[in-house]
Each structure stands twice: as structure tokens, then as C-alpha cells.
């Protein structure tokens, strides 16, 4: 993938994170929707002044689109607007905090927890390894076997993941937590893919 394609994909990701349409970006930058669409798909090049207009419209520094300095230093930075997000349940949104999670021994993620309906049953689960939880915003109830505790911003907890556990937002406001899992479950997925490829 060349630099223009990479920048185009980055712009599309930021635009969608901003919930901005191509038409809205066109009106702000003066560039046609057709041209913007082609550039996002890597089908055309762009002048630096036009790229600067896009950066201003998206409220991001021009260098964050180019990432030249980061690439030269070999630093893989994930900007807040670039994070992959997944709705893993009606009340939990997962944010990946690195671009290649299968490369590392531990897995850091952020979760936005929406308030649960009253009287919803909390199912506990267990898995191999350990889990670290740090609350960034809101109040989060953590369940561990037959016990529970409420964590507030700045609170943290380190648990043995082989014990039945879970966490939930029982408050009336959204919460945000950082979790770190070790070992990284993506490593096992990678091993499984390799076994399948080798016919094992």
C-alpha cells in the first residue's frame, strides 16, 4: 500500500469517527465529494494544500495524517480517532489499543460500559491468565466468585482470570475502563490459524 492509499484510509477513518459525511467534508474543504471519495479509496493523489484543508476540517494536525515522524522512528501510534471499536453486546463497546494485537504478550483494551437495565443477571466467566482493570470514568461493579466491589475513577484491580468473574455498569451514567489481559488471547488464535494451515 502506497502513502496516498494509507493517508486516504486514515482520512476515511477519522471522518467516520467524526460522523461526518463526504458531502459535509466537501462543503468544508471546497473539494468535490467525488474527488474525496476517490482519494479515500487510494485512486488519486492530492496536493499538500488540499490535504491541509482536509486536516483543518477534521480538526487534526496535518502531521497526524502523514505520520512521517512516527514512521521514521518505528513508533506505531494509535490515535484516539483511529481505534477500532466493536459493539460486543448492547451495553459494551470495545476499543482496541494497538494495531497488531497478535504481536504482543499482553492485550490492552478499553471498554465503554453503558448502564445495564435493572435486574439484569450478571453471568460470570473464567479463562486462562490474569486481568488488570483500571477505571477511567464512571463507576464499575466487579464480580469475583461470590464477592463484588465497586471501582471508581483511579481505582484498579488485578485478578486471577481462572476464577469466575465479570464487570458491569450498574450506575445511571456511562463508564470507561482500561483492561490488560495476559496471556494475550490473540496469540492462541494465531497458533490455531497456524495449526489449521499446517493441517494439524
Amino acid at each position: 500500500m502506497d502513502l496516498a492509499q494509507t493517508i486516504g484510509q486514515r482520512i476515511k477513518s477519522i471522518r467516520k469517527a467524526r460522523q461526518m459525511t463526504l458531502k459535509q467534508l466537501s462543503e468544508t474543504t471546497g473539494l468535490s465529494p467525488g474527488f474525496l471519495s476517490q482519494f479515500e479509496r487510494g485512486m488519486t493523489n492530492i496536493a499538500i494544500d488540499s490535504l491541509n484543508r482536509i486536516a483543518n476540517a477534521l480538526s487534526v494536525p496535518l502531521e497526524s495524517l502523514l505520520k512521517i515522524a512516527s514512521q521514521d522512528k518505528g513508533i506505531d501510534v494509535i490515535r484516539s480517532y483511529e481505534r477500532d471499536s466493536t459493539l460486543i453486546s448492547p451495553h459494551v463497546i470495545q476499543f482496541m489499543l494497538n494495531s497488531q494485537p497478535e504481536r504482543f504478550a499482553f492485550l490492552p483494551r478499553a471498554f465503554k460500559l453503558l448502564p445495564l437495565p435493572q435486574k439484569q443477571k450478571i453471568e460470570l466467566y473464567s479463562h486462562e491468565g490474569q486481568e488488570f482493570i483500571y477505571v477511567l470514568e464512571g463507576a464499575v461493579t466487579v464480580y469475583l466468585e461470590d464477592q463484588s466491589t465497586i471501582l471508581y475513577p483511579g481505582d484498579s484491580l488485578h485478578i486471577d482470570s481462572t476464577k469466575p468473574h465479570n464487570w458491569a455498569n450498574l450506575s445511571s451514567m456511562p463508564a470507561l475502563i482500561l483492561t490488560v489481559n495476559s496471556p494475550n488471547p490473540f496469540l492462541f488464535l494465531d497458533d490455531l490459524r497456524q495449526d489449521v494451515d499446517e493441517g494439524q
Side-chain angles (χ1 to χ4, degrees):
M1 182 182 298
D2 62 26
L3 182 59
Q5 287 178 302
T6 301
I7 296 174
Q9 288 186 358
R10 191 168 297 138
I11 287 172
K12 184 176 181 179
S13 175
I14 299 170
R15 176 176 63 78
K16 288 193 170 184
R18 298 280 193 271
Q19 297 184 331
M20 180 183 291
T21 65
L22 280 172
K23 182 180 179 182
Q24 290 171 325
L25 184 59
S26 171
E27 292 171 349
T28 307
T29 61
L31 303 171
S32 73
F35 171 79
L36 291 170
S37 176
Q38 286 187 330
F39 182 65
E40 286 187 348
R41 290 179 288 163
M43 298 174 62
T44 187
N45 291 318
I46 192 170
I48 192 67
D49 61 328
S50 296
L51 189 60
N52 191 48
R53 283 149 66 185
I54 293 175
N56 290 334
L58 296 174
S59 300
V60 297
L62 177 61
E63 57 268 23
S64 72
L65 297 180
L66 298 173
K67 271 193 174 179
I68 294 175
S70 294
Q71 288 175 347
D72 288 345
K73 295 178 182 178
I75 301 174
D76 187 14
V77 177
I78 303 298
R79 303 295 178 185
S80 60
Y81 47 78
E82 295 177 324
R83 296 180 303 196
D84 287 334
S85 61
T86 306
L87 184 66
I88 61 176
S89 81
H91 302 94
V92 179
I93 303 171
Q94 171 187 267
F95 299 95
M96 300 301 293
L97 300 182
N98 54 27
S99 61
Q100 296 177 297
E102 68 279 359
R103 290 180 51 201
F104 302 97
F106 57 88
L107 178 65
R109 290 175 291 180
F111 292 90
K112 184 173 185 178
L113 310 180
L114 304 179
L116 279 179
Q118 291 185 355
K119 299 182 180 179
Q120 179 164 328
K121 184 178 180 181
I122 308 298
E123 300 288 345
L124 304 188
Y125 65 99
S126 60
H127 53 86
E128 183 181 351
Q130 302 176 47
E131 185 169 332
F132 176 80
I133 304 167
Y134 181 84
V135 178
L136 299 166
E137 299 174 5
V140 177
T141 301
V142 178
Y143 299 87
L144 182 62
E145 296 185 309
D146 59 350
Q147 302 180 67
S148 66
T149 187
I150 301 176
L151 303 183
Y152 299 95
D155 292 347
S156 60
L157 184 64
H158 197 157
I159 64 175
D160 178 354
S161 300
T162 62
K163 297 179 179 179
H165 65 282
N166 206 341
W167 28 255
N169 179 3
L170 304 183
S171 73
S172 60
M173 300 294 291
L176 183 66
I177 63 173
L178 168 70
T179 71
V180 181
N181 288 91
S182 176
N184 180 354
F186 279 87
L187 296 179
F188 296 104
L189 290 176
D190 197 49
D191 290 341
L192 179 59
R193 293 190 195 100
Q194 185 175 357
D195 289 344
V196 171
D197 291 340
E198 294 175 354
Q200 297 181 1

